[in-house]
Amino acid sequence: MKKIKEIFQKKEKKTKKARPTVKEIFASQTSRHGAMSMGMIALVIAIVIIINLIMGQMPERFRNIDLTDQNLYEISDVSKEMLKNLDSDVEIKVLAVKTSADDRIKTFLSKYTALSKKIDVEWIDPVEHPSALETYGADSNSIVVSCPDTDKSKVISFSDILVVDQMAYYTTGSASPTSFDAEGQLTSAINSVVSDVNKKIYQTTGHGEGSFGSSVTDLMDKMNFQLEEINLLMDNEIPEDCDMLLMYAPTKDLTEDETKTLRTYLEQGGNVYLILGAVGDSLPNLESIMEEYGLSMADGYIADPQRCYQGNYYYIFPQLNVSGELANEISSQMVLLVNSRGMTQIEAARDSITVTAFMQSSSSAHAVTEEGDEEGTYIIGATATETIGTEEEESETEDETEEDGKSEETSSDEEEAKEARLTVITAPSMIDEQITGTFTTLENLTLFTNSIRANFKDVQNVAIEPKSLEVTYNTMQHVGLIGLAVIFGFPVIVLVWGFVVWWKRRKA
């Protein structure tokens, strides 16, 4: 029995000697590497947790990075400039449940309002505070923009920001937002409530004129322009509150009385904006006014093989010559026109008239008719201006003093000279929604609104187009050559290079 006990004690001592200590465990190289790896993992996890805690405390505008294909959260220079120059305080009340509101609206609102200290934003839950809807005269899921100094306010619905294609809803029964208009709506609303400038534009009727699409009327509304129709046959004169007379693609000519009325309006310093229609519309009276201001119509449609889209000579990208107000937000200079007519510059009726072309074809363009064609450079868009004159009223006052016995002052009160302005664009496709809606990268509407805004010195162009949420298409010039290079050129180069490499290795 004693021997058995001694045997077990010996085995236990051997077992204790075989078991390594903690110091011996961490003394090995494998153990040190494992411990170091665990320590590094723990350190990385700790750093990630700390960064998340720090980022969670930062404002939302810094946490959200714009990685969207359409740059939804990018704010234009127009909005930045307006927000920078804000003199009045602006209050924004968001009547919606913040936790359930669309993230795109929340993110953009945060980034936008951070650009000005004059803007105060408050989210109001209409479920907890139902009386707020009646107080602000708005529905839930809307934004109320107001200015205490002017006591003006404007309501923006979420449906005006995330715009849904209603036709898709009627045809399929379901629809998702197709455009994002947060910047355009907010900038227009703020400009509207802080400004007291309103312009009235009369659009002529009775000559087979076309009608504007929703995209154009929305842009007009954003610039706070009031559109109203006028029939020159019914009215003997153009109203005094008319800041601009607009004719869109007339198919019938003016009468003699209408021509006289329009000419008188221009001679008094009026603004006329004309978008011509298709070839075949005989408009001698209207063209006589254009010729008086140095612009003559060319026959036929303009074909430009040098500046065309995908080999279609009648789909042209005119050369832009823009500066100042006309150049606002114009970056790519990509304006696509279809079946455009052309003009040539002639001698104006008076030396005081100045013609400036801001859109024209290349020198390789042709004015094509059924009888033939004529090569040359043609004007697609131009502005003719004329200074009407100044009126001066001089008054003299005399003031005597005790020191020299007399002192004389002369002051003159000069009224600002009036300027007549005739703007002509020869292609109604300039604002065709089928073009501007398909190719969202085009700057047709931007140039159009700039050319409208250029007629007024006291109006800021805040008409910002919505950003498309749909697939965008490139509008490259001469895409046929590029396509041939991609389809045939690159594969041939790769095959030749591969053959050369194979031949060198074969000889080695």
Side-chain angles (χ1 to χ4, degrees):
M1 193 68 182
K2 187 176 180 180
K3 290 182 178 181
I4 296 174
K5 187 175 181 180
E6 289 177 356
I7 292 171
F8 277 108
Q9 287 177 351
K10 288 179 180 180
K11 287 184 177 180
E12 186 176 354
K13 288 180 180 180
K14 289 181 180 180
T15 305
K16 288 182 179 180
K17 288 182 179 180
R19 184 183 301 166
T21 63
V22 175
K23 184 177 181 181
E24 291 174 343
I25 292 174
F26 286 98
S28 65
Q29 187 175 2
T30 303
S31 300
R32 286 198 301 269
H33 286 171
M36 186 175 294
S37 299
M38 292 294 294
M40 291 298 296
I41 293 173
L43 180 61
V44 171
I45 293 175
I47 292 174
V48 171
I49 293 174
I50 293 173
I51 292 175
N52 283 332
L53 291 174
I54 294 174
M55 292 296 293
Q57 300 301 317
M58 293 179 66
E60 186 178 0
R61 63 181 183 274
F62 297 121
R63 298 200 306 266
N64 295 298
I65 302 175
D66 190 358
L67 300 177
T68 60
D69 179 47
Q70 301 85 358
N71 295 323
L72 295 183
Y73 310 126
E74 182 180 350
I75 299 173
S76 66
D77 294 336
V78 172
S79 297
K80 291 178 180 178
E81 186 69 19
M82 186 202 68
L83 295 173
K84 179 182 177 181
N85 297 328
L86 271 182
D87 295 328
S88 303
D89 293 331
V90 175
E91 297 178 353
I92 295 180
K93 309 293 184 182
V94 187
L95 306 177
V97 181
K98 189 172 184 179
T99 55
S100 60
D102 191 282
D103 289 335
R104 289 168 291 189
I105 295 177
K106 290 190 292 185
T107 300
F108 186 87
L109 192 61
S110 174
K111 290 179 176 290
Y112 186 89
T113 56
L115 296 177
S116 176
K117 296 181 179 179
K118 291 285 187 178
I119 300 179
D120 179 67
V121 182
E122 181 183 1
W123 285 76
I124 301 177
D125 190 338
V127 178
E128 296 181 359
H129 307 282
S131 59
L133 300 179
E134 183 177 353
T135 301
Y136 295 104
D139 298 327
S140 59
N141 293 326
S142 60
I143 301 174
V144 181
V145 181
S146 61
C147 177
D149 294 342
T150 61
D151 198 27
K152 296 169 66 177
S153 63
K154 190 170 183 178
V155 178
I156 305 171
S157 173
F158 280 12
S159 60
D160 293 330
I161 296 176
L162 287 169
V163 183
V164 176
D165 185 0
Q166 297 297 330
M167 290 302 297
Y169 176 79
Y170 291 133
T171 55
T172 64
S174 62
S176 57
T178 57
S179 60
F180 185 72
D181 196 21
E183 182 184 3
Q185 294 293 336
L186 286 170
T187 300
S188 173
I190 293 175
N191 181 69
S192 175
V193 299
V194 301
S195 174
D196 56 356
V197 177
N198 291 300
K199 298 297 181 180
K200 199 164 188 178
I201 297 178
Y202 282 88
Q203 184 179 358
T204 62
T205 60
H207 310 92
E209 290 91 342
S211 57
F212 289 139
S214 59
S215 57
V216 174
T217 54
D218 289 344
L219 290 173
M220 291 284 197
D221 182 63
K222 288 177 181 178
M223 288 193 290
N224 298 318
F225 289 149
Q226 299 180 33
L227 283 175
E228 188 171 325
E229 293 184 348
I230 184 174
N231 191 312
L232 297 178
L233 281 175
M234 297 181 182
D235 300 298
N236 296 328
E237 59 182 13
I238 297 173
E240 292 183 359
D241 62 348
C242 176
D243 297 300
M244 175 186 284
L245 186 71
L246 192 151
M247 298 188 71
Y248 177 47
T251 58
K252 297 179 181 179
D253 198 16
L254 301 173
T255 64
E256 294 294 336
D257 291 337
E258 289 176 312
T259 304
K260 183 179 179 181
T261 300
L262 187 58
R263 183 174 281 111
T264 301
Y265 175 67
L266 282 169
E267 291 173 352
Q268 294 174 350
N271 297 319
V272 175
Y273 197 104
L274 172 62
I275 300 179
L276 294 173
V279 170
D281 301 328
S282 180
L283 310 172
N285 288 334
L286 185 57
E287 291 181 13
S288 67
I289 295 179
M290 293 172 53
E291 291 171 358
E292 181 180 341
Y293 284 83
L295 295 170
S296 176
M297 289 300 303
D299 295 330
Y301 289 117
I302 303 302
D304 195 341
Q306 185 175 333
R307 299 183 60 85
C308 62
Y309 173 69
Q310 293 190 358
N312 192 327
Y313 296 160
Y314 296 97
Y315 285 61
I316 64 174
F317 293 92
Q319 296 175 340
L320 303 188
N321 179 25
V322 293
S323 60
E325 293 293 340
L326 279 178
N328 280 346
E329 297 297 313
I330 298 291
S331 56
S332 67
Q333 298 204 0
M334 297 295 286
V335 172
L336 178 62
L337 302 178
V338 179
N339 294 336
S340 172
R341 302 178 67 182
M343 299 180 290
T344 56
Q345 185 173 344
I346 60 176
E347 185 178 354
R350 296 175 291 278
D351 294 337
S352 55
I353 297 175
T354 302
V355 177
T356 304
F358 57 87
M359 277 196 301
Q360 62 183 22
S361 69
S362 71
S363 58
S364 302
H366 295 257
V368 182
T369 63
E370 293 181 357
E371 290 77 20
D373 62 86
E374 185 175 349
E375 185 177 1
T377 302
Y378 294 93
I379 299 173
I380 311 296
T383 299
T385 58
E386 180 181 18
T387 301
I388 302 303
T390 61
E391 295 180 3
E392 297 184 356
E393 294 179 1
E394 297 186 353
S395 61
E396 297 182 354
T397 59
E398 295 182 355
D399 184 26
E400 297 182 355
T401 62
E402 296 180 355
E403 295 181 357
D404 56 9
K406 63 178 180 178
S407 176
E408 184 176 319
E409 291 184 0
T410 303
S411 62
S412 65
D413 182 17
E414 183 176 331
E415 184 178 321
E416 186 177 357
K418 293 182 179 181
E419 182 183 70
R421 192 179 184 94
L422 172 64
T423 304
V424 183
I425 294 177
T426 61
S429 57
M430 176 80 175
I431 53 177
D432 190 336
E433 287 195 341
Q434 290 185 346
I435 296 176
T436 59
T438 302
F439 304 102
T440 56
T441 57
L442 293 175
E443 295 179 327
N444 289 37
L445 293 178
T446 303
L447 182 60
F448 171 72
T449 54
N450 286 350
S451 61
I452 292 283
R453 155 67 185 85
N455 289 267
F456 311 108
K457 297 180 179 180
D458 54 349
V459 173
Q460 184 177 1
N461 185 3
V462 293
I464 301 171
E465 298 179 49
K467 295 177 180 178
S468 176
L469 297 176
E470 298 181 325
V471 177
T472 57
Y473 298 91
N474 291 327
T475 53
M476 296 184 294
Q477 300 179 46
H478 316 301
V479 72
L481 296 178
I482 298 176
L484 289 175
V486 173
I487 296 172
F488 299 105
F490 293 157
V492 170
I493 292 173
V494 172
L495 288 174
V496 172
W497 178 77
F499 178 78
V500 171
V501 172
W502 171 80
W503 184 259
K504 288 182 177 180
R505 290 180 179 179
R506 184 175 178 273
K507 294 180 65 177

